[in-house]
Amino acid sequence: MTDARVWLITGASRGLGKAFTEAALAGGDRVVAAARNVEPLTDLAGDHPGQLMPLPLDVTDRRGVFDAVERAAGAFGGLDIVVNNAGAMLYGMVEEATEEQIRAHMDVNFYGAVWVAQAVLPHLRARGGGRLLQVTSMGSGGGMATVGYYGASKAALDSVSEALAMEVEGFGIRVTIVQMGGYNTGLFTAGTTNTRPMEPYQPLREQMEAMWGDAVAPEPETAAPVIMELASLPDPPRRLIVGSQSFDHVLEMDRAQADLYRSWEHLSRIAPG
C-alpha cells in the first residue's frame, strides 16, 4: 500500500463518481469519497477498511469545502488525484427557469467546482504536484435547447479550467478537462431540477424529448478505465472526450461550426480587429 495514490472524488455516492471510486479502490489506491449523502457508500467502506473514507460534503458551501478538504488531506497523508465530479442538471427552456433555479444550478456545477479546486491546490502544491480532473460535458462546446443552463455551467468550468491549467502547471499540477459523454448516472432523475413548462415551448419540448429517445446509456463503470489510465499518464492531455460516440459527435459539431464561420467570413472580415 506504500505506492497507493490518494484520490479525492466529489459526487462519489452515485453514477460516475461511485464508478471512479470503485475503480480506484480496485487498483489498490485510497479514496476520500465526498458526497452530500454518503450513506450509499456504507457497504463499500465496509469492504475496504482503511482504504476508503466517506466524507459528507456540500460543494456549494465554500467554507465547508475548505474544511472538508483539510480532513481529506489528513485522512491518508495528502492528496494525489482530485476528481471534481459533483454536478446537477437543470432541465427546461431558458425563459422558464427562475432566478433561484439558475443560481442554485451554477452554485453546484460551477462555483462548487471552483471552491474544490481552490481548496485542494495548496495541498497539491505542497506535495510537489498532482492531478486535477475537472468533469464537464461533451456538450459544453455549444448550447442545446432544454439543457442550456447545464451546458453554460460546464462551458464556464471548461474556460476557467483552461486558465487554471496554465496557472498551476509550473507547480507540477496537471489539470485535465474531462468532457463526459452520456452515461446512465441518474443525472436526469435524482440529479435533475425541472422548470415549470410554458405552453408556447411544448412543440419544441416534445421534439427534443423525441430526439433524446429511449436508448439506454452505457453504465458509468464503462468510463472508469479511461479515468484510471488518464490519471496515470505522465503527460496527460488538457482536454479529453470520454466516450466513442461522443467523440464522433463532437467532431461532427466542430466541423459544422467551422462551416458556419466560413459561410459568414466575408462579414467577419469587414472589421479590422
Side-chain angles (χ1 to χ4, degrees):
M1 192 67 75
T2 55
D3 294 329
R5 299 170 298 182
V6 180
W7 297 61
L8 168 62
I9 302 175
T10 67
S13 63
R14 62 177 176 84
L16 291 167
K18 191 172 185 182
F20 300 159
T21 297
E22 292 171 340
L25 293 171
D29 290 339
R30 293 169 288 187
V31 181
V32 179
R36 286 195 184 204
N37 176 18
V38 297
E39 186 176 350
L41 297 167
T42 301
D43 291 343
L44 193 61
D47 293 338
H48 297 273
Q51 195 182 357
L52 174 63
M53 173 188 166
L55 179 67
L57 175 63
D58 177 356
V59 296
T60 67
D61 176 3
R62 188 174 187 271
R63 184 66 267 163
V65 168
F66 275 74
D67 291 342
V69 167
E70 288 296 323
R71 296 197 299 274
F76 299 120
L79 299 171
D80 298 303
I81 304 163
V82 177
V83 184
N84 226 339
N85 169 73
M89 171 66 72
L90 176 55
Y91 183 80
M93 305 298 175
V94 170
E95 184 183 356
E96 295 171 346
T98 66
E99 179 181 354
E100 181 182 14
Q101 288 175 327
I102 297 166
R103 291 185 182 279
H105 186 65
M106 295 299 290
D107 274 346
V108 175
N109 284 13
F110 177 69
Y111 289 111
V114 171
W115 306 153
V116 171
Q118 289 182 334
V120 302
L121 286 174
H123 295 280
L124 298 179
R125 192 163 51 241
R127 205 168 179 83
R131 303 295 173 85
L132 177 56
L133 308 185
Q134 303 280 73
V135 176
T136 68
S137 169
M138 53 79 67
S140 60
M144 179 74 69
T146 70
V147 292
Y149 289 109
Y150 179 78
S153 67
K154 294 301 188 179
L157 184 55
D158 274 8
S159 183
V160 80
S161 297
E162 286 277 8
L164 179 62
M166 296 175 63
E167 293 166 359
V168 302
E169 190 170 12
F171 305 122
I173 302 169
R174 305 301 298 273
V175 177
T176 299
I177 299 164
V178 184
Q179 297 178 306
M180 301 300 306
Y183 289 87
N184 185 22
T185 65
L187 183 63
F188 277 92
T189 53
T192 294
T193 297
N194 291 286
T195 62
R196 178 175 294 179
M198 296 173 63
E199 191 278 330
Y201 292 108
Q202 188 57 29
L204 178 57
R205 189 181 305 273
E206 293 174 357
Q207 178 183 338
M208 297 303 296
E209 289 174 352
M211 185 185 74
W212 300 131
D214 297 324
V216 178
E219 293 302 313
E221 54 265 28
T222 61
V226 178
I227 300 303
M228 294 302 295
E229 182 166 349
L230 176 63
S232 300
L233 291 175
D235 187 21
R238 188 165 292 182
R239 286 178 180 260
L240 183 73
I241 300 166
V242 179
S244 179
Q245 294 182 19
S246 298
F247 184 91
D248 292 338
H249 188 54
V250 170
L251 289 188
E252 182 181 338
M253 289 192 299
D254 285 348
R255 284 193 291 267
Q257 188 65 53
D259 290 342
L260 179 62
Y261 279 132
R262 281 193 291 268
S263 68
W264 289 96
E265 181 180 358
H266 64 285
L267 183 58
S268 298
R269 293 190 181 279
I270 292 175

